[in-house]
Amino acid sequence: MHTARPSARERLLAAADELFYREGVHVVGIDRVIEHAGVAKASLYNTFGSKDELIRAYLEGRHAAIEKRVTEGLAAYPTPREKILGVFDIQGARFQNPEYRGCPFISATAEAMPGAGSLAAADAYRSWVRALFADLARQAGAPDPGALAQQLQIAYDGVAVKMRMDGDPAADLAAGRGLAAMLLDAALGPA
């Protein structure tokens, strides 16, 4: 049986995902992405219009994958409080991958110019994380779910940065999960 070859869009996104994540969006030139994808330069510009839009699409794909992984993973946790801590467990599982290079949104936006597509994609992702924490905090009975969500997001981001900088998955996960548990205890009372 013959399988269809991936479209130019799919090949460009796969190449961007691999190269941008491994080496960085600002380091990898568009010619490398085109060569890696095995498409003509016109395919990139006809499909995305610019490198900036390719970066946005790459980050949107990362967001979708993370959202799917987290949403599916949270099904294993029975209570909202456990689900909040589960977000950190699910994040920590990514740290075990030797190819983990940190948060793609932090990396892509570190040197982004105002108005860059990466900023919009990162904002959408961060809004999703905050909304997830706020929804779970509300379900857990937090008196101020928005404030707790902000605090949990700081812990979530901090764990990703610490892991990228220190590279100690077990310690970094324990620290982040422990901080989240302290925030939950302060907001909801001890479990």
Side-chain angles (χ1 to χ4, degrees), residues 37-100:
V39 301
K41 189 176 264 191
S43 294
L44 176 116
Y45 291 105
N46 289 337
T47 305
F48 295 102
S50 67
K51 181 181 179 184
D52 188 53
E53 287 304 310
L54 177 61
I55 293 168
R56 179 197 303 256
Y58 149 70
L59 290 173
E60 289 170 347
R62 285 281 170 156
H63 175 167
I66 293 167
E67 187 171 339
K68 181 179 188 295
R69 184 174 59 250
V70 169
T71 301
E72 289 175 356
L74 290 181
Y77 298 87
T79 69
R81 184 184 199 119
E82 290 171 308
K83 286 179 189 296
I84 290 170
L85 296 174
V87 171
F88 289 86
D89 295 339
I90 294 163
Q91 180 189 38
R94 283 282 295 141
F95 297 165
Q96 304 301 320
N97 184 333
E99 295 181 15
Y100 180 76

Side-chain angles (χ1 to χ4, degrees), residues 9-10 28 34 38 43 51 56 58 63 80 100 126 129 133 137 152 158 162 169 175 179:
R9 177 183 175 77
E10 292 167 330
V28 175
I34 291 166
S43 294
K51 181 181 179 184
R56 179 197 303 256
Y58 149 70
H63 175 167
Y100 180 76
R126 293 181 53 69
V129 171
F133 281 136
L152 290 165
K162 186 174 181 334
L179 180 56

